[in-house]
Amino acid sequence: MDLAIWIAISAGVLAALAPITQGGLRKINDKELGKYVRKAGLPLPTHLREPLLQRIAGRERWALYGGAIGMALAVVTSLVFGWRDTTGGMLVMLAVVFGGSLGGVIAILSGSHQLRREGPRMARAQATELSDFVSRGELLSARLAPIAALVPAIVGAVLLTMLPHGPAPELTWWTGMAWTATGLTVLALIATELVARLVLARPQHAESRLELAWDDVCRAESLRGLVQTPIAMGVLAALSSLIMVGLVLINPDIRSGAMQQTFILGMVMLAVSGLAVLGLMLPALMSWLSGGRSFVLRQLWAGEDFSTDARERTC
């Protein structure tokens, strides 16, 4: 697929990183905000609307910055090295996902995940932990990501040693791409665990139960975004290994006189990569279908009635 098509797809992914405020660059999308509030499952009185929008804008702005910078660097790199096909396209897609995630991490470290950065604090009956904000399925998928990335990379490398001829030119580039994506997946998981601890260690400031519940929702969303980073990297790494093997096997010089062998090797690689992606995504997908955004409310605020807290303030 041509690099220009990949750039267009990546631009769409980049725009999807900021659906509500466009990073504070454009008018608020009230329709998307309404969807966000409905999925959160909490009332949003007037006095909390602006703090929430500022928090969302900060997160979306950093995600856009990170994704745009990653995309620009990847496009320049692809043009310099002449990768105007799927090689450059996958690099651009990886850069957008990784850059957007890195921007989200910066937003968290800067405090943009908090609804209120100072003020009174409400006491909790017990301390919170990561599993209160992120479902077990999402955590399991994130921690399986390095395995899902590593297994196809290893299998792909082994399958390519079984070829009857020497390696094709595409092998050098895609071997590096696959192993780079695998390494980034491992780094993403390590960073996720470390940053999550920093987030959980920060105090939560709130004047009411409703404000604290909204802060929990904001915190949970940031933590879920972190956890989804190694998942996305794991999927892209597995696909990189599949494409690496596929590009080599469809090379006419490789297929010549070995049609059946290359077909079998291709089917094996397709099965391994497919199972890796399926096994990686299934636990998280089950959690998403059961209402991932409302998980924190079920975990920390089960049975709570916020109707009293939702009364509008009078000036």
Side-chain angles (χ1 to χ4, degrees):
M1 194 159 55
D2 188 74
L3 177 61
I5 298 177
W6 280 102
I7 292 175
I9 295 173
S10 299
V13 173
L14 183 63
L17 296 177
I20 298 176
T21 70
Q22 288 78 48
L25 302 176
R26 294 170 57 188
K27 183 180 178 181
I28 302 301
N29 189 327
D30 290 319
K31 183 178 179 180
E32 290 296 328
L33 177 62
K35 291 180 181 179
Y36 179 91
V37 173
R38 285 193 298 272
K39 289 180 180 179
L42 286 172
L44 182 62
T46 302
H47 70 276
L48 290 182
R49 176 183 166 90
E50 189 59 31
L52 179 64
L53 286 174
Q54 290 178 359
R55 180 263 167 198
I56 294 174
R59 175 181 58 81
E60 291 187 349
R61 185 182 305 113
W62 279 109
L64 281 177
Y65 288 165
I69 292 172
M71 182 177 176
L73 292 175
V75 170
V76 171
T77 301
S78 299
L79 293 176
V80 169
F81 288 95
W83 301 336
R84 292 176 170 81
D85 52 9
T86 305
T87 304
M90 285 296 293
L91 178 62
V92 172
M93 185 64 74
L94 279 169
V96 170
V97 173
F98 190 75
S101 300
L102 183 59
V105 170
I106 295 174
I108 291 174
L109 294 178
S110 67
S112 295
H113 67 285
Q114 295 173 294
L115 196 63
R116 182 191 293 269
R117 301 192 190 188
E118 56 185 18
R121 296 174 57 187
M122 293 192 66
R124 290 187 184 273
Q126 60 185 19
T128 57
E129 54 188 25
L130 185 58
S131 58
D132 290 321
F133 296 93
V134 183
S135 68
R136 292 181 180 179
E138 290 172 295
L139 288 175
L140 177 59
S141 287
R143 289 161 181 169
L144 287 175
I147 299 175
L150 189 61
V151 169
I154 293 175
V155 171
V158 172
L159 291 179
L160 291 178
T161 64
M162 301 179 181
L163 294 173
H165 307 293
E170 295 91 341
L171 176 59
T172 302
W173 301 116
W174 277 98
T175 298
M177 182 76 72
W179 286 107
T180 298
T182 300
L184 288 176
T185 303
V186 176
L187 290 177
L189 178 60
I190 294 173
T192 294
E193 298 284 357
L194 293 177
V195 175
R197 292 182 183 181
L198 293 176
V199 172
L200 293 172
R202 292 195 174 189
Q204 291 178 277
H205 302 280
E207 294 181 348
S208 66
R209 294 183 311 142
L210 178 58
E211 190 171 347
L212 182 59
W214 265 114
D215 194 80
D216 284 338
V217 170
C218 292
R219 176 171 288 201
E221 185 178 22
S222 294
L223 290 171
R224 291 179 68 233
L226 275 175
V227 167
Q228 289 167 11
T229 301
I231 297 175
M233 293 302 301
V235 171
L236 288 174
L239 294 179
S240 295
S241 297
L242 174 62
I243 295 174
M244 170 189 74
V245 174
L247 287 176
V248 174
L249 294 181
I250 63 175
N251 186 287
D253 295 332
I254 297 294
R255 298 190 68 189
S256 178
M259 296 286 289
Q260 184 176 3
Q261 184 180 2
T262 54
F263 175 78
I264 293 174
L265 293 179
M267 289 298 99
V268 170
M269 189 62 202
L270 180 62
V272 170
S273 298
L275 288 174
V277 172
L278 179 62
L280 171 62
M281 292 295 299
L282 191 59
L285 185 60
M286 296 295 291
S287 295
W288 296 336
L289 292 176
S290 64
R293 181 168 288 170
S294 60
F295 171 80
V296 63
L297 298 182
R298 297 195 302 270
Q299 192 74 7
L300 297 177
W301 299 96
E304 291 287 339
D305 181 10
F306 293 102
S307 57
T308 302
D309 304 77
R311 291 175 182 170
E312 299 291 343
R313 290 183 177 179
T314 57
C315 297

